[in-house]
Amino acid sequence: MDQLLRVMNFNISRDGIGAGPDERQSLEQPFGLPAPERLFGWCGATASWPMRTDPGGTRGLDDYFTRDFARNIGAEIMGRNKFGPQRGPWRDHDWNGWWGDEPPFHTPVFVMTHHTRPSITLSDTTFHFVDDTPAAVLERAKEAAQGKDVRLGGGVSTVREFLDADLVDSLHVAVAPVELGEGIRLWDSPEDLADRFHLEVVPSPSGVVHHLLWRK
Amino acid sequence: MDQLLRVMNFNISRDGIGAGPDERQSLEQPFGLPAPERLFGWCGATASWPMRTDPGGTRGLDDYFTRDFARNIGAEIMGRNKFGPQRGPWRDHDWNGWWGDEPPFHTPVFVMTHHTRPSITLSDTTFHFVDDTPAAVLERAKEAAQGKDVRLGGGVSTVREFLDADLVDSLHVAVAPVELGEGIRLWDSPEDLADRFHLEVVPSPSGVVHHLLWRK
């Protein structure tokens, strides 16, 4: 079976925004948003959320999606802005990402950046810094995934870049019931992708509306 | 984490019926129904259905559920009527279940029956025939599952027996848009279980309505 490139548990507002304006990203605001939990609070509430540290959590529809986070995933691709708030040449080589000593990926992670640096291994996650086209990075990630699928982790600009290159096989986008007005936009409407993807829309009692898209 | 007892991908009609009247079960009609695909056709359409032999299949919401069939499952419990159409003492010891040489379970399976017989191993599935209470069978199944969850596979009467004993932790029931009128009934309404279970109801574009219940 083919290896898929999958966007999973990707959170945006009702007006299509997944992160604040680029210049607002900071150590204090990884998403450039004052209250990012308005976008992804539904994930953290579920029993299967990979970053969950407390017992408990919900077991309903939302949990079905967060349980899929690691399933059959052998590698992740992310943009540099998901890895950290620095721009341009790396000034702080001690920066190891937002996730502490136990990142939730447990696979190779390919960080796209024009400023490469040596790979970093934290527990069972290794970050590779790659300066290449989406197609070339995907090829490396698929090889590293050893037959499993590849997760496209974001941020928004990175997802758009892979969509523009027509490399994405499926997306699970959770649309939160908030309007953000400004920031980086995934789409004006999911219908933007209707020519290339099937679309299924599933409202959750938590208030988010899960959008499932897969290649026609 | 506790091991759960889970009902998964369990199919019933809008009027709550999961199988035809007991006396109608036969080699030709395992569910005692003339057109059982009216109940479970949605499963077979998905890409992840464990019995799928052809490539392809849908990748939407329904597929999220069928993909869960084997996930973190270490054993199954089923009633004898799910295993085969014979009643009373085993006359046909060559009967090895409906599933051929490669049953889709890939774990130990505990078949509840008053008529025990030696265990049968087919590929990586072993059927054990046990004459005991639901609580005692669950204990054996949990031990065999080695920390993973236990699937309660049905049929309807077996699910009801475990519900009556208050041993079920979660249920995923797919309600198909058909009325059967007569047969073995899981519930008159999902509200029958509302005192003990949270209920989330998710309609699928395929026409089935997924009911997710988990213990309060």
Side-chain angles (χ1 to χ4, degrees):
Chain A
M1 203 165 101
D2 282 351
Q3 292 174 270
L4 305 177
L5 179 64
R6 302 167 56 193
V7 175
M8 304 169 77
N9 292 303
F10 197 76
N11 299 293
I12 63 173
S13 65
R14 199 155 44 197
D15 48 348
I17 291 166
D22 184 58
E23 67 278 10
R24 299 218 191 125
Q25 192 191 36
S26 66
L27 278 178
E28 295 71 34
Q29 295 193 353
F31 286 82
L33 295 169
E37 67 278 7
R38 289 181 298 164
L39 286 190
F40 53 68
W42 71 272
C43 293
T46 63
S48 303
W49 179 234
M51 304 286 284
R52 169 170 287 280
T53 48
D54 306 327
T58 66
R59 281 285 183 194
L61 174 68
D62 293 343
D63 192 57
Y64 266 82
F65 291 106
T66 58
R67 278 153 88 179
D68 250 15
F69 182 76
R71 181 167 192 152
N72 196 40
I73 294 295
E76 164 150 337
I77 296 169
M78 65 171 66
R80 181 184 178 175
N81 296 2
K82 175 166 172 178
F83 182 73
Q86 297 184 64
R87 303 289 185 269
W90 296 96
R91 292 176 305 274
D92 178 3
H93 270 277
D94 291 337
W95 176 259
N96 284 337
W98 306 98
W99 303 279
D101 294 336
E102 289 279 350
F105 306 106
H106 311 294
T107 66
V109 173
F110 293 86
V111 181
M112 295 179 75
T113 169
H114 296 304
H115 304 275
T116 57
R117 53 183 276 191
S119 299
I120 303 170
T121 297
L122 293 169
S123 183
D124 49 2
T125 298
T126 298
F127 295 96
H128 302 291
F129 300 86
V130 292
D131 179 16
D132 217 329
T133 62
V137 174
L138 177 57
E139 197 172 323
R140 282 190 61 177
K142 280 189 172 173
E143 193 181 332
Q146 299 186 298
K148 295 186 176 179
D149 292 340
V150 177
R151 187 194 307 111
L152 180 56
V156 187
S157 308
T158 303
V159 174
R160 289 197 61 139
E161 208 176 334
F162 279 80
L163 282 171
D164 290 346
D166 201 23
L167 294 171
V168 178
D169 294 300
S170 70
L171 301 93
H172 161 231
V173 178
V175 178
V178 294
E179 301 269 338
L180 293 177
E182 56 172 356
I184 307 176
R185 207 175 283 270
L186 178 65
W187 59 41
D188 289 317
S189 149
E191 294 300 319
D192 297 356
L193 298 175
D195 55 332
R196 288 187 283 153
F197 291 89
H198 300 281
L199 169 63
E200 205 162 283
V201 176
V202 190
S204 163
S206 64
V208 301
V209 180
H210 298 286
H211 287 58
L212 303 171
L213 299 100
W214 67 107
R215 196 194 279 278
K216 282 183 178 170
Chain B
M1 204 165 100
D2 282 352
Q3 291 173 272
L4 306 177
L5 180 64
R6 302 167 55 194
V7 175
M8 304 168 77
N9 292 303
F10 197 76
N11 300 292
I12 63 173
S13 65
R14 199 155 44 200
D15 49 346
I17 291 167
D22 184 57
E23 66 279 10
R24 297 216 192 129
Q25 194 192 35
S26 66
L27 277 179
E28 294 70 35
Q29 295 193 352
F31 287 81
L33 294 169
E37 66 278 9
R38 289 182 296 164
L39 287 189
F40 54 68
W42 71 272
C43 294
T46 63
S48 303
W49 179 234
M51 304 286 284
R52 168 172 288 279
T53 48
D54 306 326
T58 67
R59 281 284 183 194
L61 174 69
D62 293 343
D63 192 58
Y64 266 82
F65 291 104
T66 57
R67 277 152 87 179
D68 251 13
F69 183 76
R71 181 167 192 150
N72 197 41
I73 294 294
E76 163 150 339
I77 297 169
M78 64 172 66
R80 181 186 179 175
N81 295 2
K82 175 167 172 179
F83 182 74
Q86 296 184 66
R87 303 289 185 269
W90 298 96
R91 291 176 307 275
D92 178 4
H93 271 276
D94 291 335
W95 177 259
N96 285 338
W98 306 98
W99 303 279
D101 294 337
E102 290 279 351
F105 307 107
H106 312 292
T107 66
V109 173
F110 293 86
V111 181
M112 297 180 73
T113 170
H114 296 303
H115 304 276
T116 57
R117 54 184 274 191
S119 299
I120 303 169
T121 296
L122 292 169
S123 182
D124 49 2
T125 298
T126 298
F127 296 95
H128 301 290
F129 300 85
V130 292
D131 179 16
D132 216 329
T133 63
V137 173
L138 177 57
E139 196 171 324
R140 281 190 62 178
K142 281 189 172 173
E143 194 182 331
Q146 299 185 297
K148 295 185 176 180
D149 292 340
V150 176
R151 186 193 308 111
L152 180 56
V156 187
S157 309
T158 304
V159 174
R160 290 197 60 137
E161 208 177 334
F162 279 80
L163 282 171
D164 290 346
D166 201 22
L167 294 172
V168 179
D169 294 299
S170 70
L171 302 93
H172 161 230
V173 179
V175 178
V178 294
E179 301 270 336
L180 292 176
E182 56 173 356
I184 308 177
R185 205 174 285 271
L186 177 64
W187 58 42
D188 288 319
S189 149
E191 294 300 318
D192 297 356
L193 299 174
D195 56 331
R196 288 187 283 152
F197 291 88
H198 300 281
L199 170 63
E200 205 163 283
V201 176
V202 189
S204 164
S206 64
V208 300
V209 180
H210 297 285
H211 286 59
L212 303 170
L213 299 101
W214 65 107
R215 195 194 278 280
K216 283 183 178 170

